Amino acid sequence: MAIKQILWLTVFLLIALGLVWLQLSINREVVSDITVLNPEGKAGSALVAYHPGLSDFMQTVTLAFTDGLIASDWRVELTTISRETPAELADYDLLALGVHTYWWAPDAPTRRYLKRLGDLADKPTAVLLTALGQAGRSGAKTTALIEEHNGELAKLLTLYTLRPNDDDNPSRPNREVAVEMAFKAASELVGLGAD
């Protein structure tokens, strides 16, 4: 009887430690340098900041979004969301955020960054929102956060890792579809920048 109780306690503790590790991992900030892409871009200047998360999916779709901006001749500054991410947005025509959905809500680093930014002063803001398969609540909360901070939501694109991104053709590779969608979303932001 005592061995069975010890076994159950051990399993419970391992699960609890796993959940603590997961929570800490998804909420940690990753500091990275700012990479300037297409420095001579004439369409406008964009700050693209994303929370990398636990897989490379967010980075992949963010880079595709960035490629779409560059194809439209934007100057892009790319970085991860952290305490080091620029908080002064006056030099940017667009703020683009890569936001993960965790526990049906936008990730904590993004929420902290928006709080640090304070008033977005009607700054056009694009959001790449990723989720496993359900993002409705997270999308609504992200939209509310942008509006609460006086940002202008220019684009909200939801991309899934498990659920098909192309409902008309669910057999297409999800990552491939997400990359295409992110690129296209960025190219649709023509006219937001200072010509």
Side-chain angles (χ1 to χ4, degrees), residues 1-13:
M1 186 80 147
I3 292 176
K4 210 179 216 184
Q5 289 175 335
I6 290 172
L7 183 61
W8 280 111
L9 182 61
T10 302
V11 168
F12 175 77
L13 287 174

Side-chain angles (χ1 to χ4, degrees), residues 74-101:
W74 282 76
R75 178 186 186 277
V76 176
E77 293 186 20
L78 176 67
T79 190
T80 53
I81 294 175
S82 72
R83 290 175 295 287
E84 304 294 319
T85 307
E88 178 53 52
L89 302 178
D91 293 336
Y92 303 106
D93 300 300
L94 174 70
L95 172 64
L97 299 172
V99 182
H100 279 287
T101 297

Side-chain angles (χ1 to χ4, degrees), residues 50-191:
Y50 67 99
H51 176 54
L54 298 176
S55 74
D56 69 341
F57 184 72
M58 178 59 79
Q59 181 179 20
T60 300
V61 296
T62 300
L63 291 175
F65 183 84
T66 300
D67 288 344
L69 288 174
I70 292 168
S72 297
D73 201 31
W74 282 76
R75 178 186 186 277
V76 176
E77 293 186 20
L78 176 67
T79 190
T80 53
I81 294 175
S82 72
R83 290 175 295 287
E84 304 294 319
T85 307
E88 178 53 52
L89 302 178
D91 293 336
Y92 303 106
D93 300 300
L94 174 70
L95 172 64
L97 299 172
V99 182
H100 279 287
T101 297
Y102 293 125
W103 313 120
W104 302 276
D107 62 76
T110 300
R111 293 192 316 265
R112 288 192 298 266
Y113 178 58
L114 285 169
K115 185 175 181 180
R116 189 165 55 91
L117 285 175
D119 188 1
L120 291 172
D122 294 321
K123 180 69 63 186
T125 305
V127 175
L128 296 174
L129 181 69
T130 62
L132 289 175
Q134 175 57 31
R137 183 172 162 200
S138 181
K141 285 184 174 189
T142 302
T143 299
L145 279 171
I146 300 297
E147 291 171 353
E148 177 184 316
H149 292 281
N150 299 314
E152 176 192 325
L153 188 62
K155 185 75 170 179
L156 173 64
L157 177 64
T158 303
L159 301 167
Y160 299 105
T161 55
L162 293 181
R163 176 180 156 189
N165 285 308
D166 183 355
D167 290 330
D168 295 332
N169 191 358
S171 63
R172 282 189 64 207
N174 224 26
R175 183 175 288 253
E176 176 184 303
V177 174
V179 165
E180 288 173 10
M181 290 172 70
F183 183 91
K184 183 179 178 202
S187 63
E188 292 171 350
L189 295 173
V190 175

